[in-house]
Amino acid sequence: MSSMFGASVQRVEDDRLLRGHGAYLDDLGGDALAVAFARSPHAHARITDIDVSAALDVPGLVAIYTYEDLPPKLAEPLPLLIPHPSLTHGRTPYPLARTEVNHVGEPVAMVVATDRYLAEDAADLIDISYEPLPPVVGLGNARQADHLVHEDVPGNVAANAVQKHGDTAAEIAAAPHVLEIDLEIERSASTPLEGRGVLASWDPHAKRLRLWTSTQTSTGVRAAVAAKLGLDLADVDVITPDVGGGFGVKIVHPWPEEVLVPWAARLLGQPVKFTEDRREHFIASAHERAQQHHVTVGFDDEGRILGLDVRFWHDNGAYVPYGLIVPIVTSTQLLGPYKARAYRVEFDSLYTNTVLVTPYRGAGRPHGCFVMERTIDAIAAALHLDRTVVRERNFIQPDEMPYDQGLIFQDGRPLIYDSGDYPALLAKLKELVGWDEFAAAKDAAAAQGRRLGIGLACYVEGTGVGPYEGGHVVVETSGKVKVATGLTSQGQGHQTVLAQLVADELGVRLEDVEVVTGDTRRFGYAVGTFASRTAVMSGSAVTLAARKAKEKAIRVAADALEVSPADLVIADGIVQVKGDPDSGIALGTVAVLSNPLRYAFDEAAKAATQFAGGDISRPPVAPDDEPGIEGRAYFSPVRSTFAAGMHAAIVETDPDTAEVKILRYCVVHDCGRLINPQIVEGQIHGGVAQGVGGALYERMAYDESGQLQNASFMDFLMPYVSEVPQRIEIDHLETPSPLNPLGIKGAGEAGVIPGAAVLAAAIEDAEQILIRSMPISPSDLFELRRAHGQEEALS
Amino acid sequence: MKPPPVGYSRPASVAEALTTLAALGPEAKILAGGQSLVPLMSMRLAAPAHLVDINRLADLSYVRHDAGQVRVGALARHAQVLASPSATVQPLLAKALRHVAHPAIRNRGTTVGSIVHAYPAAEMPAVLALLGGSVRLVSASGERLVSASDFFLGVLESAAEPGELATEVAFPVLPPRAGTGFAEISRRRGDYAICGVAAMVRLAADGTVDDARAAYLSVGPCPQVLDLTEKLAGVAPGAVSLSAAVQLVRERVDPEPDIHATADYRRHLAGVLTERALLESLGEAAGEPKGEAA
Amino acid sequence: MTKPEELHEVAMTVNGATRTARVPARRLLSDCLRHDLGLTGTHVGCEHGVCGACTILLDGAPVRSCLLLAVSADGAKITTVEGLAEPDGSLSAVQQAFTECHGLQCGFCTPGFLTTITAGLRAVPEPTDDQIREMVGGNLCRCTGYQNIVASVRRAAQIQRDRAGRP
C-alpha cells in the first residue's frame, strides 16, 4: 500500500458537491421562519424614532424586534474577541442599534416572517427616523478628527502600538543613504460566493439549542452564543454545514445575526433562519481596508538595511470586534525574509463610519509585503543595483535559523522563524521566470513600441498559529474509521487531506476514513480555521490521535494473536505480523475485541462476549484503559511555523489605453512537506487570483457621506477567468518544519500575499513611474502618466 | 434581495398585450428578457405595479432582413440575433453583440429590450443610433415609427410611452462600399463599457471616404453620434490620417467621471477607440479581409 | 392585514420530470427551484445576474435563474445540476473531469459552471482554450483562480471523446 502523504488523491468531498447534493446553510431549514433586517441607510446618525405600525399589515409577519426588546445579555455590546493592551479604546456594536448607527448597513430592527420576501416587505415598511451626524470617512478625515465616530474615543484612535528592536533613530542617522517613502494600499474584502447564514432550532423539552452557521469557528460561535443566551456549553450544538468560501470574513463571531436568530428561535418556539443577500454582505459583514504608511529607511552602499522605521495608519471601520490582528500582522510580518539591524513600527488604528475591518486572506501581510518590497525596490533604484541582488544581501540565511526578529507575533508569542531557505527560493524564482534574460526581452519589445516590465516580491508567513487543535479517531466495528476535528472547512479539502494523514498513520484505505469538521457534537474543543493553520494544527492532532488508536489496536491484536506488539503492523486495514498478511485480524474485528461485551448484537460481536475466551485472571478493562479503539490528541505548538514564497510577474502595459496585461505569473513556494500537492496548488491558484483582483480590480468605493457606491458584483470587480493570468507557473521548495510531527507548514494564504507588491513592481518597471498606491486601474495609470508628463498619454 | 409584490399578466397575443397595457397605463412594465428589469426589481430600485410578460408572443421572435433593413422582433434574444444569418448583412450587429454581457445573459436578454431600456453604457442603443435605425411602437390606439435620433431621451429614458409595446427594431443594412467597426474598453470582460465606439465609413465610387460617423457609449446620458466626415472626406483609406478626427471627438464628447474612470480617461479612450473603430471600418470598406494590416 | 398575493400555477419539466408549484408572480425561479421544488443544488450568489452560480439550462441554453421569474418559466424544460449525471447514476463527463482536475474547492459556484459547460460542450465539443475562456467567462469563482476549471473543460472534452469512442 503506497503512502497517502504527498499524493494528489481526488477529493472525497467532490462527488456529492458535483451532483448538487451539497448542504450549505440556505439549503437547510426548509420549515424555518425567515429573517430580514431594517438596516441603517446613514453612515452616522442618531436614531430618534422607530415606528413599525405600517409593517404590521404584511401577511406572514411573525415578529419585529428592536433594541428595546433585547434581554440584558443581548442588550450589551457584542464581545471584543481579541483584547490587546494597546487597544485602549475598543468599541463593538450592539446586536441591534441602540441609539446610534455607525455605518450604512448596521442592523436596527429584525423582522421574522414566514418567508424572506415577506420579511423584506415588512422591513421596508418600518419607519425609522434618524438625525444624521457628520460621517467620518477615509483615513485623512479620521486622523484630522474634525468629527468623531465615537464620542468617547478621542482622535478616532482605537489603539496605538509600537514594536521595535534595535535603535532605529541612531541607525538611520548614521546611515550613508536614507529614503522616505509614502505607500498606500486599499484592499477589498473576502467576498466568498456564499454569504453568511444562520439557522437555529430550540428544543423546548431538552432545553437545548442547535445552531447551524456558515462560520469558520463553530466552537467560537458556541461559546459566544451560550454566553449571550445564558446556556451551558453542553446545551448548545453548533454545526458548520458546507460553506461556500470564507477567506477570513466568516471567522468573525458572533455576528449580530448569530445571537439574534437563536434568541428568536427560543422565544418563538420555531426554527428561524437568516440567509444574508449580496448587498447585506457588502454593507453588513466585513472588509479589509485602507492603510497608509510612511517609511524611513537607512541603508548602506550595498543596499543592506540598517534602520527601518514604519509609521502607519489603519482604518478599522466603525467597530473592532476582532481587535488589532490586521495591523499587528502588518507590523510583524512586514520584515518578511529580511533582517534589519534596527526596526521600529508604530501604528494607529482609527475608526471611520464604514463597515468593520477584519482579516481577509493574508490578514495584513499583503500590506506589509507591499511596504517592504516597494522599499527594497526603491533602495535598488537609488543604488542602481539589481533588485534581486539587494534582496539577497538582506536575506536571513538558512544557517541563521531559528531567527528571532525581536517582535511579538499575532499569537502573542515571539516572532521566531524556525526554518526556511530564502536564497534557494530566490534562485528558483529567477530560473523560473528567466530574470536574467528579461532585460533583452524588454529591449526587443521596446523596439516594437511595446512596454514590458518585470517585478518580484517575497514574503514570509507565520502559519499554524495556536493555541491548539484536537483530533479524535475511532475505529468502528465495521472497520470504518471516523475522524473528527473541531475546526471548520470552506473548500480547502480538509476531509480529504486529514483522511490521507489518518489513512497513512493507521494503515487503512483512504475510502474507509471519514472526516467530520466543525461540529461541536463530534469535537468540542477547537479554535477555528484561519491563518493557514489546519494542516499543521488539525493535521498534527489527527495524526497523533491516529497513532494512539494504532497503538491500542496493535496491543489488543497482539493479545488476541499472542504475539508481541513489536511484531505487528497495520496495512490495508488488517493488523498483521510484518510480512504475513494471512496471519492478521481485520481492524474492525479488533474494535469488536476491544470492547468486552455481555450481549452479542451480531455475529462478529460474539467473539467479544464473556464466554468467548480471554484471560480471566485480569479485569476485562484494565484500570488505565478504555473500551474501543479510539485516540484523542491535541497539538499545541510553542509558536507558529514559517512558510515563505516569492512571486514574479511580467506585465505589458498598453501605451494608448493604459490597460495592464499579465504575460507571466510565477510562484515559488515553501510550505514544508506537501500532503496533497494538487490541493496546495489549488490554494495557490485561488490566492493568486485574489492577489490580482486586489491589485488591479477590487476596491471598496466609499463616497464622502459614507455610502458604499459599489455594493454589488456589478461594480465591485471580482475577477472572471478573463482577468486572471492564463497560466500560473509554480515551483516548490520544501524546508520541513521542526515544530510539528509532520514537518508541514500552512499554505492557504500564500497565493495572495505578494499580489499588490509584485504587480506594482512590474508596472513600475514597465512605465518607469513610481507606483506607491494600490490598487491601480487603467484610469489610475493614465492619470499617473499625465502627472508625470508623459506626452504619449495626451495624443 | 427579493422583488416587491407585483401583478402579472401573460398575454397570448400582441392584441391581448396591447389591451392589457392600455388598461394598466403607467403602472405596467413589459417583461421580455428581464435581464435588466428583474435585478432592478430584486434590488427594489424598480417597483412596477404590474408586469406584462410577452414571452409567449412567439410571433415576435424573428430576425429577418428585407428592403434594406435587418428587422429584429421584440422577443429575439441577443444570442439569436448574434447567430442569425439575416444579421450578417449588417456586420456591426455581431461585432457589438459579442460585447453584450456574457453568454447566459445573451441567451435570455432581448435586443429590442436593451434598446428600450436605453442605458447609455449598453452597446445596442449606440448601434441603432449610429445606423440611423428605428423602433416600431405599437399600442391599442395605433402604431408609430420612431427614428433612433428621436428615441433616446436620457439615462434609462426612451420615447416609448406607457401603453406602448416596442414590437420591432430595424437596423439599416450595410450599404455597398461601406464598412463598420466596433471597439470597447470595459474593466472586466463583459462589463458595461468605460467607453465604446461604433463606427461606419462609406467610400465614394472613386474609393475615397464619402461618409464617416461614430456613435459613443458611456460618454453621456444618451448614445452620442458624431459626424466625422469633414475630417476624412476625399481621402483614400490607405492614406487617411485619423488624428484630426480623433481630436474632434475629444473636443466634442463630455463624459462624466465615476468610480471606474475619470472623465479625462474616458475622453482619451474615446479618441483611441475612434481610431481603432475607424481603421476597422476603413479596412472593411476597402474590401480587405478582416485581420490584415491596412 | 394586506391581501395575500395572487398565486400562479407553474408547471415545468425539470430534469425530465414534470414539476408544479403555486407561486406569487415575484417568486424568482432560483427560489422556486430551491425552496418550492427542493432542488437546492442551484445556488444563489448575488441575485443580480453577475456571479452565475444560479445558472441552469432553459430549453438547453444556460440562463441565470435569479433573473427569471418562476411564472415566466411555465412550460419550459429545465435542467439543473441534479439532472446532469448519467442515467445509470455515474458522473457525467463534465462532472468527472472536475473531480479529476480539482476544478472545485468550496463547490458553491460549481453547479453554475457545470450546467454552463455541459451546454457549451454540446455546442462546441472541441473548444480551443480561447473558446473555453469565453464559455466560462461569465461565471465567478473565488476559490480556484479558474486554472483548474479551464483544465476541467479540456479534460471533459477528452472524456466525452473517449466515451463516444472517438479518437
Side-chain angles (χ1 to χ4, degrees):
Chain A
M1 192 177 79
S2 59
S3 173
M4 289 281 106
F5 198 109
S8 289
V9 301
Q10 282 177 31
R11 301 190 333 160
V12 310
E13 294 92 328
D14 287 354
D15 189 271
R16 62 191 181 77
L17 295 178
L18 288 167
R19 293 175 187 275
H21 296 158
Y24 301 86
L25 195 288
D26 192 58
D27 302 340
L28 311 172
D31 58 339
L33 296 172
V35 173
F37 287 87
R39 297 182 181 277
S40 171
H42 298 288
H44 197 193
R46 252 190 280 281
I47 301 168
T48 53
D49 188 50
I50 303 179
D51 180 358
V52 307
S53 47
L56 297 176
D57 235 12
V58 173
L61 178 70
V62 172
I64 300 178
Y65 304 109
T66 64
Y67 179 81
E68 292 177 352
D69 300 309
L70 300 178
K73 287 213 169 89
L74 282 177
E76 294 163 1
L78 291 172
L80 199 158
L81 296 173
I82 307 180
H84 188 281
S86 299
L87 184 52
T88 51
H89 292 77
R91 299 287 176 272
T92 59
Y94 294 98
L96 291 171
R98 192 171 64 110
T99 55
E100 194 174 290
V101 288
N102 282 300
H103 67 86
V104 171
E106 189 164 350
V108 181
M110 173 162 133
V111 174
V112 183
T114 50
D115 80 38
R116 172 79 184 199
Y117 289 71
L118 298 168
E120 286 191 18
D121 293 344
D124 274 358
L125 290 169
I126 299 175
D127 189 6
I128 306 175
S129 307
Y130 296 96
E131 182 200 309
L133 297 168
V136 179
V137 183
L139 276 169
N141 288 317
R143 287 167 67 179
Q144 181 118 332
D146 288 338
H147 301 290
L148 297 177
V149 174
H150 301 286
E151 278 309 309
D152 56 353
V153 178
N156 292 312
V157 178
N160 170 279
V162 178
Q163 288 213 57
K164 59 185 185 206
H165 74 255
D167 185 341
T168 329
E171 292 287 352
I172 291 173
H177 309 275
V178 176
L179 281 176
E180 278 194 58
I181 309 169
D182 287 302
L183 292 158
E184 189 177 350
I185 184 165
E186 172 91 40
R187 286 198 74 220
S188 84
S190 306
T191 50
L193 261 285
E194 183 204 19
R196 300 169 303 137
V198 53
L199 166 66
S201 175
W202 172 254
D203 180 339
H205 306 289
K207 297 213 170 19
R208 297 189 77 254
L209 177 70
R210 183 159 292 177
L211 197 65
W212 291 258
T213 175
S214 194
T215 185
Q216 291 172 224
T217 173
S218 43
T219 47
V221 172
R222 181 172 71 153
V225 169
K228 283 293 181 192
L229 296 186
L231 294 168
D232 292 330
L233 285 183
D235 293 326
V236 180
D237 297 327
V238 176
I239 302 148
T240 305
D242 285 324
V243 174
F247 311 111
V249 68
K250 294 177 180 176
I251 194 63
V252 179
H253 66 281
W255 294 103
E257 299 88 346
E258 272 173 336
V259 297
L260 292 170
V261 165
W263 170 66
R266 187 168 64 173
L267 256 189
L268 297 169
Q270 275 186 268
V272 175
K273 178 169 74 168
F274 168 70
T275 302
E276 98 181 324
D277 64 34
R278 184 50 52 186
R279 180 168 166 78
E280 284 176 301
H281 191 78
F282 273 104
I283 61 174
S285 65
H287 303 162
E288 204 200 74
R289 286 204 355 104
Q291 277 181 195
Q292 291 171 345
H293 317 77
H294 182 78
V295 175
T296 311
V297 64
F299 52 100
D300 65 18
D301 296 330
E302 304 292 298
R304 270 184 286 262
I305 296 170
L306 304 172
L308 179 65
D309 184 299
V310 179
R311 179 77 173 91
F312 72 93
W313 296 267
H314 172 81
D315 177 344
N316 60 234
Y319 303 106
V320 283
Y322 211 78
L324 301 173
I325 292 301
V326 174
I328 287 175
V329 170
T330 299
S331 304
T332 53
Q333 299 270 255
L334 186 146
L335 285 169
Y338 312 110
K339 46 191 167 189
R341 275 232 285 267
Y343 173 60
R344 182 183 187 281
V345 60
E346 179 178 351
F347 70 84
D348 282 342
S349 190
L350 294 136
Y351 289 105
T352 58
N353 285 113
T354 62
V355 170
L356 316 181
V357 170
T358 65
Y360 159 37
R361 201 176 199 174
R365 277 176 209 86
H367 310 66
C369 177
F370 178 69
V371 170
M372 188 73 250
E373 296 301 293
R374 301 280 53 230
T375 300
I376 293 237
D377 283 349
I379 292 172
L383 296 174
H384 305 291
L385 290 172
D386 182 291
R387 292 169 277 167
T388 62
V389 166
V390 174
R391 285 170 167 82
E392 276 156 2
R393 290 181 182 166
N394 282 288
F395 277 155
I396 297 163
Q397 296 300 315
D399 59 13
E400 289 177 294
M401 296 292 183
Y403 187 86
D404 188 343
Q405 288 278 23
L407 304 168
I408 300 295
F409 190 40
Q410 61 148 329
D411 56 2
R413 293 175 173 250
L415 187 73
I416 299 175
Y417 298 179
D418 51 279
S419 56
D421 188 342
Y422 311 132
L425 268 178
L426 183 58
K428 273 194 182 243
L429 182 69
K430 288 176 72 171
E431 168 84 32
L432 182 59
V433 77
W435 181 267
D436 293 328
E437 293 74 49
F438 178 74
K442 183 175 179 178
D443 290 340
Q448 300 176 324
R450 296 171 60 200
R451 296 184 195 186
L452 300 191
I454 192 168
L456 82 154
C458 312
Y459 70 90
V460 142
E461 187 195 351
T463 67
V465 162
Y468 69 85
E469 282 303 329
H472 184 221
V473 173
V474 180
V475 178
E476 297 243 333
T477 54
S478 62
K480 295 284 188 204
V481 180
K482 305 286 187 180
V483 179
T485 186
L487 53 57
T488 58
S489 310
Q490 303 88 45
Q492 308 92 326
H494 292 159
Q495 279 98 339
T496 303
V497 167
L498 297 176
Q500 287 176 254
L501 294 175
V502 171
D504 255 16
E505 186 64 38
L506 205 41
V508 298
R509 296 176 315 172
L510 186 69
E511 52 264 41
D512 288 333
V513 181
E514 189 191 286
V515 176
V516 167
T517 62
D519 185 336
T520 60
R521 299 171 302 182
R522 292 290 301 275
F523 205 92
Y525 286 106
V527 183
T529 301
F530 56 93
S532 307
R533 66 195 295 273
T534 299
V536 171
M537 304 298 288
S538 287
S540 299
V542 303
T543 300
L544 294 171
R547 196 167 292 170
K548 286 186 183 176
K550 179 170 79 170
E551 280 156 12
K552 173 90 183 276
I554 284 180
R555 187 161 45 80
V556 169
D559 234 20
L561 293 171
E562 292 172 341
V563 298
S564 159
D567 294 332
L568 290 175
V569 293
I570 312 182
D572 273 329
I574 315 260
V575 189
Q576 59 196 257
V577 173
K578 287 187 186 99
D580 185 9
D582 296 325
S583 68
I585 317 181
L587 207 49
T589 309
V590 177
V592 171
L593 296 175
S594 72
N595 181 17
L597 293 173
R598 184 160 174 79
Y599 308 112
F601 54 84
D602 68 9
E603 199 56 42
K606 286 182 180 172
T609 53
Q610 49 258 298
F611 298 106
D615 186 345
I616 57 174
S617 72
R618 293 182 305 176
V621 180
D624 58 351
D625 202 0
E626 293 176 355
I629 306 291
E630 291 188 42
R632 182 182 297 267
Y634 291 86
F635 180 68
S636 182
V638 64
R639 56 179 169 272
S640 308
T641 180
F642 280 80
M646 303 181 182
H647 295 198
I650 297 177
V651 303
E652 176 163 5
T653 57
D654 188 309
D656 297 319
T657 65
E659 288 166 298
V660 176
K661 191 166 151 193
I662 300 173
L663 299 181
R664 289 188 63 202
Y665 198 100
C666 299
V667 172
V668 297
H669 176 256
D670 176 6
C671 64
R673 299 176 66 217
L674 303 179
I675 304 169
N676 185 320
Q678 192 177 45
I679 286 184
V680 172
E681 288 209 353
Q683 292 295 302
I684 294 174
H685 294 163
V688 167
Q690 287 177 309
V692 170
L696 302 179
Y697 295 97
E698 299 166 16
R699 180 193 179 92
M700 290 295 175
Y702 272 99
D703 70 14
E704 66 275 0
S705 67
Q707 297 293 329
L708 184 59
Q709 296 173 284
N710 57 347
S712 82
F713 282 162
M714 289 195 232
D715 289 311
F716 177 77
L717 307 176
M718 273 165 57
Y720 290 105
V721 67
S722 38
E723 285 70 55
V724 304
Q726 293 200 349
R727 264 185 79 206
I728 298 171
E729 302 165 63
I730 302 176
D731 199 357
H732 293 283
L733 186 73
E734 289 186 19
T735 60
S737 170
L739 297 182
N740 60 70
L742 301 168
I744 56 184
K745 302 176 179 177
E749 291 165 274
V752 75
I753 293 166
V758 72
L759 290 171
I763 295 169
E764 184 172 291
D765 187 51
E767 293 281 315
Q768 298 299 303
I769 294 174
L770 294 176
I771 307 289
R772 298 267 165 91
S773 174
M774 293 291 274
I776 186 165
S777 67
S779 179
D780 294 331
L781 182 56
F782 170 79
E783 296 297 342
L784 271 178
R785 283 173 173 175
R786 284 209 312 173
H788 284 76
Q790 282 199 1
E791 294 312 310
E792 305 96 291
L794 300 171
S795 65
Chain B
M1 285 157 41
K2 311 297 182 188
V6 70
Y8 180 80
S9 313
R10 192 170 55 220
S13 69
V14 175
E16 193 188 331
L18 298 179
T19 331
T20 310
L21 286 170
L24 293 168
E27 294 295 289
K29 265 311 249 174
I30 293 163
L31 176 66
Q35 305 299 279
S36 302
L37 180 58
V38 175
L40 286 175
M41 290 177 63
S42 291
M43 291 192 237
R44 301 201 172 203
L45 295 172
H50 201 101
L51 291 175
V52 178
D53 182 339
I54 62 167
N55 285 284
R56 283 288 161 86
L57 306 183
D59 288 348
L60 296 180
S61 65
Y62 58 86
V63 183
R64 51 179 178 250
H65 99 263
D66 61 48
Q69 309 274 342
V70 176
R71 298 181 186 283
V72 176
L75 220 45
R77 315 285 173 188
H78 292 302
Q80 197 186 333
V81 179
L82 188 54
S84 165
S86 303
T88 57
V89 293
Q90 179 42 275
L92 187 59
L93 292 175
K95 291 180 191 184
L97 281 167
R98 263 181 225 120
H99 291 271
V100 171
H102 295 286
I105 304 292
R106 297 197 292 266
N107 284 339
R108 187 74 185 170
T110 61
T111 301
V112 172
S114 169
I115 284 166
V116 175
H117 190 61
Y119 189 55
E123 289 79 6
M124 301 318 286
V127 168
L128 190 76
L130 177 77
L131 298 177
S134 60
V135 182
R136 177 182 303 153
L137 295 167
V138 180
S139 72
S141 42
E143 79 172 53
R144 60 191 182 113
L145 210 58
V146 180
S147 70
S149 51
D150 296 329
F151 190 76
F152 302 106
L153 304 178
V155 179
L156 300 175
E157 243 192 280
S158 80
E161 296 282 338
E164 285 186 314
L165 171 65
T167 54
E168 176 187 280
V169 158
F171 299 92
V173 305
L174 191 67
R177 288 192 310 273
T180 60
F182 189 88
E184 174 183 311
I185 300 272
S186 58
R187 286 290 274 130
R188 296 172 302 186
R189 182 110 169 73
D191 283 346
Y192 281 118
I194 303 259
C195 183
V197 183
M200 187 164 74
V201 161
R202 205 178 63 234
L203 304 178
D206 66 1
T208 61
V209 174
D210 200 34
D211 186 80
R213 60 188 61 218
Y216 294 83
L217 329 176
S218 289
V219 299
C222 305
Q224 185 175 0
V225 182
L226 292 178
D227 187 336
L228 304 172
T229 311
E230 72 173 82
K231 302 293 178 184
L232 301 172
V235 188
V240 114
S241 156
L242 297 174
S243 50
V246 165
Q247 186 170 343
L248 176 74
V249 167
R250 290 202 172 123
E251 283 161 11
R252 293 280 193 79
V253 299
D254 186 25
E256 292 283 311
D258 69 11
I259 61 171
H260 299 305
T262 61
D264 286 338
Y265 178 63
R266 285 200 148 90
R267 184 178 298 109
H268 170 76
L269 282 185
V272 172
L273 296 178
T274 299
E275 192 167 341
R276 292 184 184 178
L278 283 177
L279 282 173
E280 191 184 346
S281 307
L282 288 164
E284 194 172 85
E288 284 154 22
K290 214 175 121 178
E292 273 184 23
Chain C
M1 176 178 292
T2 320
K3 210 163 53 106
E5 292 166 79
E6 185 186 347
L7 299 179
H8 302 264
E9 294 284 343
V10 176
M12 305 172 279
T13 309
V14 185
N15 300 328
T18 307
R19 305 294 305 267
T20 60
R22 292 189 73 226
V23 294
R26 60 167 163 166
R27 191 93 162 140
L28 300 172
L29 179 61
S30 42
D31 288 331
C32 179
L33 291 169
R34 288 175 51 73
H35 301 301
D36 300 317
L37 302 185
L39 294 166
T40 57
T42 300
H43 298 146
V44 173
C46 73
E47 287 177 322
H48 37 278
V50 177
C51 78
C54 70
T55 307
I56 50 119
L57 301 181
L58 182 75
D59 299 327
V63 295
R64 310 287 202 227
S65 63
C66 76
L67 296 188
L68 255 142
L69 301 180
V71 287
S72 279
D74 183 41
K77 199 163 92 101
I78 292 177
T79 307
T80 69
V81 61
E82 291 95 333
L84 294 181
E86 297 293 322
D88 68 358
S90 59
L91 296 177
S92 72
V94 180
Q95 291 167 320
Q96 180 64 32
F98 263 72
T99 186
E100 285 179 22
C101 298
H102 189 35
L104 68 154
Q105 291 184 26
C106 81
F108 198 77
C109 71
T110 308
F113 275 98
L114 294 177
T115 52
T116 299
I117 295 164
T118 299
L121 287 177
R122 265 185 218 139
V124 184
E126 310 282 350
T128 61
D129 275 5
D130 280 348
Q131 285 172 317
I132 291 175
R133 292 197 171 88
E134 181 72 26
M135 189 195 297
V136 301
N139 290 58
L140 285 175
C141 172
R142 197 56 163 166
C143 293
T144 67
Y146 306 101
Q147 309 296 308
N148 288 346
I149 291 178
V150 172
S152 298
V153 182
R154 270 189 227 117
R155 178 74 187 123
Q158 172 75 58
I159 294 174
Q160 273 183 349
R161 268 203 296 285
D162 294 344
R163 289 186 184 182
R166 299 197 303 274

